[in-house]
Amino acid sequence: IVSGVRAPVLILHGDHDAIPVAAAEAWVRVLPDARLLVITRADHLPWVEQPGRFFAAASEFFAARWPAGATIAR
């Protein structure tokens, strides 16, 4: 069902999150138009721990641009 989503998707994931980045990469692989941005020095709440980076990336995405560093998972 998720693979049927055709909208662009930006997944933001903290590099120190207890959930492995591999889980976020798996989402990117199944969503046809998704990108992953790993936010450094952030755990599970990157909007709290790195608000500048998080909200800058979200703003870029909502302006229909991929933020710098957003990649397609391999």
Side-chain angles (χ1 to χ4, degrees), residues 18-61:
I19 298 170
V21 72
E25 291 168 339
W27 279 103
V28 173
R29 283 193 296 277
V30 299
L31 292 161
D33 192 15
R35 303 285 184 282
L36 169 65
L37 180 62
V38 176
I39 299 180
T40 57
R41 296 183 309 278
D43 294 316
H44 194 65
L45 305 173
W47 59 92
V48 173
E49 297 148 345
Q50 293 295 329
R53 181 75 174 113
F54 179 90
F55 289 109
S59 292
E60 283 292 303
F61 178 71

mmCIF file of all heavy atoms in Angstrom, residues 18-61:
data_model
loop_
_atom_site.group_PDB
_atom_site.id
_atom_site.type_symbol
_atom_site.label_atom_id
_atom_site.label_comp_id
_atom_site.label_asym_id
_atom_site.label_seq_id
_atom_site.Cartn_x
_atom_site.Cartn_y
_atom_site.Cartn_z
ATOM 1 N N ALA A 18 17.545 6.054 18.433
ATOM 2 C CA ALA A 18 17.579 4.652 18.845
ATOM 3 C C ALA A 18 17.053 3.747 17.731
ATOM 4 O O ALA A 18 17.433 2.582 17.635
ATOM 5 C CB ALA A 18 16.762 4.453 20.113
ATOM 6 N N ILE A 19 16.201 4.288 16.883
ATOM 7 C CA ILE A 19 15.727 3.540 15.710
ATOM 8 C C ILE A 19 16.834 3.629 14.660
ATOM 9 O O ILE A 19 17.252 4.732 14.296
ATOM 10 C CB ILE A 19 14.407 4.126 15.168
ATOM 11 C CG1 ILE A 19 13.316 4.021 16.234
ATOM 12 C CG2 ILE A 19 13.995 3.435 13.876
ATOM 13 C CD1 ILE A 19 12.052 4.780 15.910
ATOM 14 N N PRO A 20 17.315 2.508 14.172
ATOM 15 C CA PRO A 20 18.426 2.546 13.213
ATOM 16 C C PRO A 20 18.069 3.304 11.930
ATOM 17 O O PRO A 20 16.933 3.257 11.459
ATOM 18 C CB PRO A 20 18.689 1.066 12.896
ATOM 19 C CG PRO A 20 18.025 0.305 13.991
ATOM 20 C CD PRO A 20 16.893 1.159 14.491
ATOM 21 N N VAL A 21 19.054 3.981 11.384
ATOM 22 C CA VAL A 21 18.847 4.708 10.124
ATOM 23 C C VAL A 21 18.420 3.743 9.019
ATOM 24 O O VAL A 21 17.738 4.136 8.078
ATOM 25 C CB VAL A 21 20.093 5.537 9.734
ATOM 26 C CG1 VAL A 21 21.223 4.656 9.269
ATOM 27 C CG2 VAL A 21 19.743 6.574 8.686
ATOM 28 N N ALA A 22 18.776 2.484 9.135
ATOM 29 C CA ALA A 22 18.359 1.482 8.146
ATOM 30 C C ALA A 22 16.836 1.405 8.034
ATOM 31 O O ALA A 22 16.299 1.138 6.955
ATOM 32 C CB ALA A 22 18.939 0.110 8.490
ATOM 33 N N ALA A 23 16.125 1.667 9.122
ATOM 34 C CA ALA A 23 14.664 1.664 9.072
ATOM 35 C C ALA A 23 14.153 2.814 8.210
ATOM 36 O O ALA A 23 13.229 2.646 7.410
ATOM 37 C CB ALA A 23 14.092 1.748 10.481
ATOM 38 N N ALA A 24 14.762 3.984 8.361
ATOM 39 C CA ALA A 24 14.382 5.132 7.530
ATOM 40 C C ALA A 24 14.743 4.869 6.070
ATOM 41 O O ALA A 24 13.992 5.218 5.158
ATOM 42 C CB ALA A 24 15.062 6.393 8.035
ATOM 43 N N GLU A 25 15.890 4.254 5.842
ATOM 44 C CA GLU A 25 16.300 3.924 4.476
ATOM 45 C C GLU A 25 15.318 2.949 3.829
ATOM 46 O O GLU A 25 15.031 3.056 2.631
ATOM 47 C CB GLU A 25 17.707 3.335 4.472
ATOM 48 C CG GLU A 25 18.760 4.335 4.833
ATOM 49 C CD GLU A 25 20.118 3.708 5.107
ATOM 50 O OE1 GLU A 25 20.202 2.501 5.402
ATOM 51 O OE2 GLU A 25 21.103 4.460 5.042
ATOM 52 N N ALA A 26 14.774 2.040 4.616
ATOM 53 C CA ALA A 26 13.791 1.086 4.084
ATOM 54 C C ALA A 26 12.537 1.818 3.605
ATOM 55 O O ALA A 26 11.982 1.477 2.553
ATOM 56 C CB ALA A 26 13.431 0.053 5.147
ATOM 57 N N TRP A 27 12.091 2.834 4.339
ATOM 58 C CA TRP A 27 10.937 3.628 3.900
ATOM 59 C C TRP A 27 11.244 4.311 2.572
ATOM 60 O O TRP A 27 10.409 4.346 1.670
ATOM 61 C CB TRP A 27 10.572 4.683 4.942
ATOM 62 C CG TRP A 27 9.764 4.148 6.073
ATOM 63 C CD1 TRP A 27 10.209 3.853 7.327
ATOM 64 C CD2 TRP A 27 8.375 3.820 6.052
ATOM 65 N NE1 TRP A 27 9.178 3.373 8.083
ATOM 66 C CE2 TRP A 27 8.032 3.344 7.328
ATOM 67 C CE3 TRP A 27 7.387 3.885 5.070
ATOM 68 C CZ2 TRP A 27 6.747 2.931 7.655
ATOM 69 C CZ3 TRP A 27 6.106 3.489 5.397
ATOM 70 C CH2 TRP A 27 5.793 3.017 6.670
ATOM 71 N N VAL A 28 12.430 4.861 2.449
ATOM 72 C CA VAL A 28 12.803 5.568 1.218
ATOM 73 C C VAL A 28 12.812 4.605 0.033
ATOM 74 O O VAL A 28 12.412 4.960 -1.073
ATOM 75 C CB VAL A 28 14.161 6.278 1.383
ATOM 76 C CG1 VAL A 28 14.638 6.875 0.074
ATOM 77 C CG2 VAL A 28 14.055 7.363 2.442
ATOM 78 N N ARG A 29 13.243 3.382 0.267
ATOM 79 C CA ARG A 29 13.285 2.401 -0.828
ATOM 80 C C ARG A 29 11.900 2.012 -1.326
ATOM 81 O O ARG A 29 11.736 1.704 -2.500
ATOM 82 C CB ARG A 29 14.073 1.163 -0.403
ATOM 83 C CG ARG A 29 15.570 1.376 -0.433
ATOM 84 C CD ARG A 29 16.344 0.072 -0.322
ATOM 85 N NE ARG A 29 16.137 -0.591 0.956
ATOM 86 C CZ ARG A 29 16.797 -0.308 2.070
ATOM 87 N NH1 ARG A 29 17.725 0.626 2.068
ATOM 88 N NH2 ARG A 29 16.543 -0.969 3.179
ATOM 89 N N VAL A 30 10.884 2.008 -0.458
ATOM 90 C CA VAL A 30 9.552 1.579 -0.898
ATOM 91 C C VAL A 30 8.676 2.720 -1.385
ATOM 92 O O VAL A 30 7.678 2.469 -2.067
ATOM 93 C CB VAL A 30 8.799 0.760 0.182
ATOM 94 C CG1 VAL A 30 9.552 -0.497 0.522
ATOM 95 C CG2 VAL A 30 8.503 1.583 1.400
ATOM 96 N N LEU A 31 9.016 3.935 -1.040
ATOM 97 C CA LEU A 31 8.243 5.081 -1.524
ATOM 98 C C LEU A 31 8.868 5.594 -2.823
ATOM 99 O O LEU A 31 10.058 5.895 -2.852
ATOM 100 C CB LEU A 31 8.214 6.192 -0.470
ATOM 101 C CG LEU A 31 7.415 5.852 0.787
ATOM 102 C CD1 LEU A 31 7.810 6.755 1.941
ATOM 103 C CD2 LEU A 31 5.931 5.934 0.497
ATOM 104 N N PRO A 32 8.101 5.680 -3.893
ATOM 105 C CA PRO A 32 8.674 5.996 -5.199
ATOM 106 C C PRO A 32 9.343 7.363 -5.333
ATOM 107 O O PRO A 32 10.250 7.520 -6.139
ATOM 108 C CB PRO A 32 7.495 5.889 -6.167
ATOM 109 C CG PRO A 32 6.320 5.483 -5.396
ATOM 110 C CD PRO A 32 6.680 5.406 -3.953
ATOM 111 N N ASP A 33 8.919 8.348 -4.556
ATOM 112 C CA ASP A 33 9.503 9.699 -4.673
ATOM 113 C C ASP A 33 9.891 10.205 -3.292
ATOM 114 O O ASP A 33 9.366 11.201 -2.806
ATOM 115 C CB ASP A 33 8.516 10.649 -5.350
ATOM 116 C CG ASP A 33 9.162 11.967 -5.763
ATOM 117 O OD1 ASP A 33 10.408 12.055 -5.786
ATOM 118 O OD2 ASP A 33 8.415 12.916 -6.051
ATOM 119 N N ALA A 34 10.790 9.475 -2.648
ATOM 120 C CA ALA A 34 11.187 9.819 -1.279
ATOM 121 C C ALA A 34 12.683 10.080 -1.204
ATOM 122 O O ALA A 34 13.471 9.560 -1.998
ATOM 123 C CB ALA A 34 10.822 8.682 -0.331
ATOM 124 N N ARG A 35 13.041 10.899 -0.229
ATOM 125 C CA ARG A 35 14.443 11.205 0.068
ATOM 126 C C ARG A 35 14.612 11.148 1.589
ATOM 127 O O ARG A 35 13.666 11.381 2.333
ATOM 128 C CB ARG A 35 14.850 12.596 -0.415
ATOM 129 C CG ARG A 35 14.652 12.854 -1.894
ATOM 130 C CD ARG A 35 15.705 12.154 -2.744
ATOM 131 N NE ARG A 35 15.570 12.485 -4.149
ATOM 132 C CZ ARG A 35 14.679 11.976 -4.978
ATOM 133 N NH1 ARG A 35 13.797 11.111 -4.546
ATOM 134 N NH2 ARG A 35 14.662 12.328 -6.254
ATOM 135 N N LEU A 36 15.837 10.875 1.999
ATOM 136 C CA LEU A 36 16.195 10.809 3.412
ATOM 137 C C LEU A 36 17.222 11.873 3.720
ATOM 138 O O LEU A 36 18.215 12.020 2.999
ATOM 139 C CB LEU A 36 16.770 9.427 3.738
ATOM 140 C CG LEU A 36 17.435 9.262 5.107
ATOM 141 C CD1 LEU A 36 16.419 9.430 6.226
ATOM 142 C CD2 LEU A 36 18.109 7.900 5.186
ATOM 143 N N LEU A 37 16.983 12.593 4.790
ATOM 144 C CA LEU A 37 17.968 13.540 5.300
ATOM 145 C C LEU A 37 18.274 13.146 6.734
ATOM 146 O O LEU A 37 17.392 13.179 7.593
ATOM 147 C CB LEU A 37 17.447 14.977 5.248
ATOM 148 C CG LEU A 37 18.423 16.034 5.761
ATOM 149 C CD1 LEU A 37 19.695 16.056 4.907
ATOM 150 C CD2 LEU A 37 17.776 17.394 5.773
ATOM 151 N N VAL A 38 19.506 12.731 6.965
ATOM 152 C CA VAL A 38 19.939 12.375 8.314
ATOM 153 C C VAL A 38 20.465 13.651 8.970
ATOM 154 O O VAL A 38 21.349 14.318 8.436
ATOM 155 C CB VAL A 38 21.017 11.275 8.276
ATOM 156 C CG1 VAL A 38 21.525 10.979 9.677
ATOM 157 C CG2 VAL A 38 20.458 10.007 7.624
ATOM 158 N N ILE A 39 19.894 13.983 10.104
ATOM 159 C CA ILE A 39 20.266 15.205 10.821
ATOM 160 C C ILE A 39 21.282 14.846 11.896
ATOM 161 O O ILE A 39 21.000 14.037 12.790
ATOM 162 C CB ILE A 39 19.028 15.885 11.418
ATOM 163 C CG1 ILE A 39 18.071 16.279 10.279
ATOM 164 C CG2 ILE A 39 19.420 17.098 12.258
ATOM 165 C CD1 ILE A 39 16.808 16.946 10.709
ATOM 166 N N THR A 40 22.457 15.433 11.779
ATOM 167 C CA THR A 40 23.539 15.129 12.716
ATOM 168 C C THR A 40 23.272 15.724 14.090
ATOM 169 O O THR A 40 22.570 16.726 14.228
ATOM 170 C CB THR A 40 24.890 15.643 12.190
ATOM 171 O OG1 THR A 40 24.792 17.050 11.959
ATOM 172 C CG2 THR A 40 25.276 14.948 10.885
ATOM 173 N N ARG A 41 23.834 15.059 15.081
ATOM 174 C CA ARG A 41 23.723 15.476 16.483
ATOM 175 C C ARG A 41 22.267 15.574 16.938
ATOM 176 O O ARG A 41 21.885 16.474 17.678
ATOM 177 C CB ARG A 41 24.485 16.773 16.736
ATOM 178 C CG ARG A 41 25.984 16.625 16.509
ATOM 179 C CD ARG A 41 26.776 17.872 16.819
ATOM 180 N NE ARG A 41 26.308 19.089 16.205
ATOM 181 C CZ ARG A 41 26.573 19.470 14.946
ATOM 182 N NH1 ARG A 41 27.312 18.718 14.172
ATOM 183 N NH2 ARG A 41 26.110 20.613 14.488
ATOM 184 N N ALA A 42 21.449 14.631 16.458
ATOM 185 C CA ALA A 42 20.041 14.595 16.848
ATOM 186 C C ALA A 42 19.637 13.158 17.152
ATOM 187 O O ALA A 42 20.102 12.218 16.521
ATOM 188 C CB ALA A 42 19.154 15.150 15.736
ATOM 189 N N ASP A 43 18.782 13.018 18.144
ATOM 190 C CA ASP A 43 18.232 11.719 18.503
ATOM 191 C C ASP A 43 16.878 11.546 17.804
ATOM 192 O O ASP A 43 16.767 11.804 16.617
ATOM 193 C CB ASP A 43 18.095 11.603 20.023
ATOM 194 C CG ASP A 43 19.445 11.615 20.730
ATOM 195 O OD1 ASP A 43 20.368 10.936 20.253
ATOM 196 O OD2 ASP A 43 19.554 12.306 21.759
ATOM 197 N N HIS A 44 15.855 11.186 18.581
ATOM 198 C CA HIS A 44 14.537 10.898 18.011
ATOM 199 C C HIS A 44 13.683 12.147 17.807
ATOM 200 O O HIS A 44 12.646 12.094 17.153
ATOM 201 C CB HIS A 44 13.814 9.900 18.923
ATOM 202 C CG HIS A 44 12.609 9.287 18.301
ATOM 203 N ND1 HIS A 44 12.671 8.459 17.198
ATOM 204 C CD2 HIS A 44 11.294 9.382 18.624
ATOM 205 C CE1 HIS A 44 11.453 8.073 16.865
ATOM 206 N NE2 HIS A 44 10.601 8.618 17.714
ATOM 207 N N LEU A 45 14.119 13.275 18.335
ATOM 208 C CA LEU A 45 13.351 14.520 18.219
ATOM 209 C C LEU A 45 14.195 15.595 17.539
ATOM 210 O O LEU A 45 14.563 16.596 18.156
ATOM 211 C CB LEU A 45 12.897 15.001 19.604
ATOM 212 C CG LEU A 45 12.101 14.007 20.449
ATOM 213 C CD1 LEU A 45 11.873 14.564 21.841
ATOM 214 C CD2 LEU A 45 10.798 13.646 19.774
ATOM 215 N N PRO A 46 14.506 15.443 16.268
ATOM 216 C CA PRO A 46 15.399 16.409 15.621
ATOM 217 C C PRO A 46 14.853 17.831 15.580
ATOM 218 O O PRO A 46 15.623 18.783 15.538
ATOM 219 C CB PRO A 46 15.609 15.844 14.217
ATOM 220 C CG PRO A 46 14.469 14.921 13.989
ATOM 221 C CD PRO A 46 14.074 14.400 15.343
ATOM 222 N N TRP A 47 13.536 17.991 15.624
ATOM 223 C CA TRP A 47 12.959 19.345 15.629
ATOM 224 C C TRP A 47 13.225 20.057 16.955
ATOM 225 O O TRP A 47 13.194 21.282 16.999
ATOM 226 C CB TRP A 47 11.462 19.318 15.317
ATOM 227 C CG TRP A 47 10.659 18.501 16.270
ATOM 228 C CD1 TRP A 47 10.034 18.928 17.415
ATOM 229 C CD2 TRP A 47 10.401 17.108 16.184
ATOM 230 N NE1 TRP A 47 9.402 17.879 18.030
ATOM 231 C CE2 TRP A 47 9.613 16.732 17.296
ATOM 232 C CE3 TRP A 47 10.743 16.110 15.271
ATOM 233 C CZ2 TRP A 47 9.175 15.438 17.529
ATOM 234 C CZ3 TRP A 47 10.309 14.817 15.496
ATOM 235 C CH2 TRP A 47 9.537 14.489 16.611
ATOM 236 N N VAL A 48 13.526 19.290 18.011
ATOM 237 C CA VAL A 48 13.878 19.867 19.305
ATOM 238 C C VAL A 48 15.399 20.012 19.416
ATOM 239 O O VAL A 48 15.900 21.036 19.873
ATOM 240 C CB VAL A 48 13.345 18.991 20.464
ATOM 241 C CG1 VAL A 48 13.862 19.483 21.810
ATOM 242 C CG2 VAL A 48 11.821 18.950 20.447
ATOM 243 N N GLU A 49 16.118 18.981 19.002
ATOM 244 C CA GLU A 49 17.568 18.922 19.197
ATOM 245 C C GLU A 49 18.360 19.716 18.158
ATOM 246 O O GLU A 49 19.430 20.232 18.467
ATOM 247 C CB GLU A 49 18.004 17.449 19.198
ATOM 248 C CG GLU A 49 17.373 16.700 20.344
ATOM 249 C CD GLU A 49 17.086 15.241 20.056
ATOM 250 O OE1 GLU A 49 17.106 14.823 18.887
ATOM 251 O OE2 GLU A 49 16.823 14.522 21.016
ATOM 252 N N GLN A 50 17.835 19.819 16.958
ATOM 253 C CA GLN A 50 18.473 20.587 15.888
ATOM 254 C C GLN A 50 17.402 21.370 15.127
ATOM 255 O O GLN A 50 17.184 21.154 13.922
ATOM 256 C CB GLN A 50 19.228 19.652 14.921
ATOM 257 C CG GLN A 50 20.427 18.957 15.513
ATOM 258 C CD GLN A 50 21.524 19.943 15.885
ATOM 259 O OE1 GLN A 50 21.686 20.975 15.260
ATOM 260 N NE2 GLN A 50 22.281 19.620 16.918
ATOM 261 N N PRO A 51 16.710 22.279 15.796
ATOM 262 C CA PRO A 51 15.576 22.953 15.151
ATOM 263 C C PRO A 51 15.957 23.743 13.905
ATOM 264 O O PRO A 51 15.189 23.762 12.937
ATOM 265 C CB PRO A 51 15.015 23.859 16.238
ATOM 266 C CG PRO A 51 16.124 24.036 17.218
ATOM 267 C CD PRO A 51 16.931 22.770 17.152
ATOM 268 N N GLY A 52 17.108 24.375 13.895
ATOM 269 C CA GLY A 52 17.504 25.144 12.714
ATOM 270 C C GLY A 52 17.620 24.265 11.485
ATOM 271 O O GLY A 52 17.090 24.595 10.416
ATOM 272 N N ARG A 53 18.303 23.164 11.634
ATOM 273 C CA ARG A 53 18.493 22.238 10.501
ATOM 274 C C ARG A 53 17.169 21.592 10.104
ATOM 275 O O ARG A 53 16.847 21.472 8.925
ATOM 276 C CB ARG A 53 19.522 21.168 10.896
ATOM 277 C CG ARG A 53 19.821 20.177 9.817
ATOM 278 C CD ARG A 53 20.703 20.802 8.731
ATOM 279 N NE ARG A 53 21.084 19.784 7.776
ATOM 280 C CZ ARG A 53 20.673 19.770 6.510
ATOM 281 N NH1 ARG A 53 19.922 20.726 6.033
ATOM 282 N NH2 ARG A 53 21.049 18.802 5.706
ATOM 283 N N PHE A 54 16.393 21.162 11.108
ATOM 284 C CA PHE A 54 15.128 20.500 10.833
ATOM 285 C C PHE A 54 14.166 21.420 10.080
ATOM 286 O O PHE A 54 13.633 21.057 9.029
ATOM 287 C CB PHE A 54 14.480 20.023 12.142
ATOM 288 C CG PHE A 54 13.151 19.356 11.942
ATOM 289 C CD1 PHE A 54 13.079 17.994 11.734
ATOM 290 C CD2 PHE A 54 11.969 20.091 11.945
ATOM 291 C CE1 PHE A 54 11.850 17.367 11.543
ATOM 292 C CE2 PHE A 54 10.746 19.484 11.754
ATOM 293 C CZ PHE A 54 10.688 18.111 11.549
ATOM 294 N N PHE A 55 13.952 22.625 10.607
ATOM 295 C CA PHE A 55 12.965 23.510 10.000
ATOM 296 C C PHE A 55 13.445 24.097 8.676
ATOM 297 O O PHE A 55 12.634 24.377 7.792
ATOM 298 C CB PHE A 55 12.514 24.577 10.991
ATOM 299 C CG PHE A 55 11.649 23.998 12.078
ATOM 300 C CD1 PHE A 55 12.120 23.879 13.370
ATOM 301 C CD2 PHE A 55 10.377 23.541 11.788
ATOM 302 C CE1 PHE A 55 11.330 23.320 14.372
ATOM 303 C CE2 PHE A 55 9.575 22.975 12.775
ATOM 304 C CZ PHE A 55 10.055 22.866 14.073
ATOM 305 N N ALA A 56 14.754 24.252 8.504
ATOM 306 C CA ALA A 56 15.272 24.681 7.196
ATOM 307 C C ALA A 56 14.990 23.612 6.149
ATOM 308 O O ALA A 56 14.557 23.919 5.032
ATOM 309 C CB ALA A 56 16.773 24.969 7.286
ATOM 310 N N ALA A 57 15.209 22.355 6.509
ATOM 311 C CA ALA A 57 14.938 21.254 5.573
ATOM 312 C C ALA A 57 13.445 21.161 5.265
ATOM 313 O O ALA A 57 13.048 20.999 4.105
ATOM 314 C CB ALA A 57 15.451 19.937 6.149
ATOM 315 N N ALA A 58 12.612 21.277 6.293
ATOM 316 C CA ALA A 58 11.163 21.221 6.084
ATOM 317 C C ALA A 58 10.698 22.371 5.196
ATOM 318 O O ALA A 58 9.866 22.181 4.294
ATOM 319 C CB ALA A 58 10.436 21.246 7.425
ATOM 320 N N SER A 59 11.240 23.552 5.408
ATOM 321 C CA SER A 59 10.864 24.713 4.582
ATOM 322 C C SER A 59 11.239 24.493 3.122
ATOM 323 O O SER A 59 10.454 24.821 2.222
ATOM 324 C CB SER A 59 11.538 25.980 5.110
ATOM 325 O OG SER A 59 11.018 26.324 6.363
ATOM 326 N N GLU A 60 12.422 23.963 2.897
ATOM 327 C CA GLU A 60 12.838 23.656 1.515
ATOM 328 C C GLU A 60 11.865 22.661 0.885
ATOM 329 O O GLU A 60 11.435 22.842 -0.255
ATOM 330 C CB GLU A 60 14.256 23.074 1.500
ATOM 331 C CG GLU A 60 15.351 24.079 1.675
ATOM 332 C CD GLU A 60 15.456 25.020 0.489
ATOM 333 O OE1 GLU A 60 15.635 24.554 -0.649
ATOM 334 O OE2 GLU A 60 15.348 26.240 0.715
ATOM 335 N N PHE A 61 11.553 21.620 1.613
ATOM 336 C CA PHE A 61 10.647 20.589 1.095
ATOM 337 C C PHE A 61 9.269 21.167 0.790
ATOM 338 O O PHE A 61 8.699 20.902 -0.272
ATOM 339 C CB PHE A 61 10.542 19.443 2.107
ATOM 340 C CG PHE A 61 9.604 18.358 1.679
ATOM 341 C CD1 PHE A 61 9.937 17.513 0.629
ATOM 342 C CD2 PHE A 61 8.396 18.193 2.316
ATOM 343 C CE1 PHE A 61 9.068 16.512 0.221
ATOM 344 C CE2 PHE A 61 7.518 17.190 1.924
ATOM 345 C CZ PHE A 61 7.858 16.347 0.874
#
